[in-house]
Amino acid sequence: MISSPSNNGFSQQLDAIRQRIAVIRDRVLSQSNLSLSSEIHEEFQSALNVLESAQTVIQQAETSLDVAQLRASVREKEILLREIHHRVKNNLQVVSSLLDLQAMRTQDPTVQTILRNNQSRIRSIALVHERLSQSSQITRINLGEYIQSLTAILVRIYAIEPNRITFRTEIQGEIELSSNRAVPVGLILNELVSNALKHGLAGEFGEITVSLRITDAQITLIVSDSGERFPTDLDLMSPRSLGFQLINSLVQQIDGILTVSRIPNTMIAVRFSANDLQES
């Protein structure tokens, strides 16, 4: 009897099948002996078993090939997606540079402020794509690292003088977010820092602190400043300023909660779930 074929002895066993079938053929032709029927049955059954095992080996090889092809396809798509993120980042940086040039060409403080605000918003989005193009995970970014990088960019965009305003970041815990949630979080941070600079510390010495922590699957982003206290008559649900209208809209996108504390310093907090929201 012929044993089931292995990868190494597959061709040898197939050759043995052919040889045995040839012997059986010759014996059947030379004599008509009924005692051969049992032997013929066993030999053919053995041949069928070998062929069945061979078929299994072939199917496994095809499956392995399919898996290899799928992995190669995934790698190609990852490379393509990284390239897309990289190109989007580059395009957004071009737009940011154009806004910067326009801001330097105008002498109108109001226009400069508008251009700088939009420049910082675009840079916060561009930074997400930059992080994704460099991250080992092409769909998620480390929120703490992103916030530290973004605050450094905001310091440059708003030309914050280190001898006048101290900028601090406090990051607690490892937090990762999908890109579709990191973008609104970055824009929220941009608006809160911009608000602290324009209103809380307008022309004054002071400190701005950005803190991020996670507790019981809840992420809390806090921006506080040591400047003038937040207006007591500001209605967070129906704000008049464009900045807080945008903040409210972005907080709703991440299903978060916005709160303000005025004692001892102005502190604005955004709390939202660490778990990714289900897309509808």
Side-chain angles (χ1 to χ4, degrees):
M1 300 292 290
I2 299 175
S3 59
S4 297
S6 63
N7 290 335
N8 293 331
F10 181 75
S11 60
Q12 292 87 345
Q13 293 205 21
L14 287 180
D15 186 63
I17 292 173
R18 289 193 294 269
Q19 292 177 7
R20 292 198 178 207
I21 291 176
V23 171
I24 293 171
R25 179 198 61 194
D26 294 338
R27 292 179 65 181
V28 169
L29 291 175
S30 64
Q31 59 182 317
S32 177
N33 189 342
L34 294 178
S35 64
L36 290 176
S37 60
S38 176
E39 183 179 352
I40 292 172
H41 174 74
E42 291 180 358
E43 293 296 342
F44 273 105
Q45 185 60 47
S46 176
L48 290 173
N49 290 340
V50 172
L51 291 175
E52 183 178 357
S53 298
Q55 184 180 19
T56 300
V57 171
I58 293 172
Q59 290 174 342
Q60 290 175 345
E62 290 176 345
T63 300
S64 298
L65 181 60
D66 289 341
V67 171
Q69 290 175 340
L70 287 173
R71 287 175 178 171
S73 177
V74 169
R75 284 194 295 270
E76 290 176 359
K77 288 179 172 58
E78 286 180 352
I79 293 172
L80 177 60
L81 189 53
R82 290 184 195 280
E83 178 64 20
I84 291 173
H85 284 305
H86 182 70
R87 293 191 179 191
V88 170
K89 181 262 296 184
N90 287 345
N91 290 336
L92 289 173
Q93 284 183 333
V94 169
V95 176
S96 176
S97 298
L98 291 174
L99 291 174
D100 188 41
L101 290 173
Q102 290 294 322
M104 290 189 295
R105 289 173 63 88
T106 182
Q107 301 300 318
D108 189 328
T110 302
V111 174
Q112 286 183 336
T113 299
I114 293 173
L115 292 173
R116 294 298 184 195
N117 287 345
N118 285 318
Q119 183 188 16
S120 63
R121 289 162 184 160
I122 290 172
R123 286 295 291 123
S124 69
I125 299 173
L127 184 59
V128 171
H129 292 281
E130 179 180 355
R131 287 283 173 180
L132 290 173
S133 68
Q134 299 172 350
S135 174
S136 58
Q137 300 188 56
I138 58 174
T139 58
R140 303 180 69 81
I141 66 173
N142 184 297
L143 187 58
E145 294 176 357
Y146 169 64
I147 285 178
Q148 288 178 326
S149 298
L150 180 57
T151 52
I153 290 173
L154 295 178
V155 168
R156 294 197 301 269
I157 290 177
Y158 289 108
I160 297 175
E161 301 174 13
N163 58 345
R164 186 174 69 86
I165 297 177
T166 302
F167 215 115
R168 302 184 186 278
T169 55
E170 300 173 352
I171 309 297
Q172 299 178 9
E174 290 290 324
I175 304 171
E176 289 189 344
L177 282 186
S178 59
S179 59
N180 63 334
R181 302 186 73 205
V183 168
V185 171
L187 289 171
I188 290 171
L189 176 60
N190 175 79
E191 296 303 318
L192 292 178
V193 170
S194 174
N195 180 76
L197 290 171
K198 289 188 296 183
H199 303 292
L201 296 175
E204 297 181 4
F205 291 82
E207 179 178 292
I208 296 176
T209 302
V210 176
S211 64
L212 178 73
R213 61 174 180 264
I214 180 170
T215 307
D216 298 329
Q218 286 288 315
I219 299 173
T220 304
L221 173 66
I222 300 174
V223 176
S224 60
D225 65 76
S226 59
E228 294 182 1
R229 292 185 179 179
F230 208 70
T232 57
D233 60 345
L234 177 64
D235 184 3
L236 290 178
M237 302 307 297
S238 302
R240 293 185 296 272
S241 69
L242 175 62
F244 267 94
Q245 290 176 8
L246 180 58
I247 290 172
N248 272 346
S249 176
L250 293 167
V251 170
Q252 290 176 9
Q253 286 184 30
I254 59 175
D255 199 21
I257 299 175
L258 179 68
T259 58
V260 175
S261 174
R262 299 175 175 85
I263 301 175
N265 299 322
T266 299
M267 184 178 70
I268 303 177
V270 179
R271 294 179 177 84
F272 56 98
S273 173
N275 302 317
D276 285 337
L277 303 176
Q278 295 294 325
E279 296 184 359
S280 57

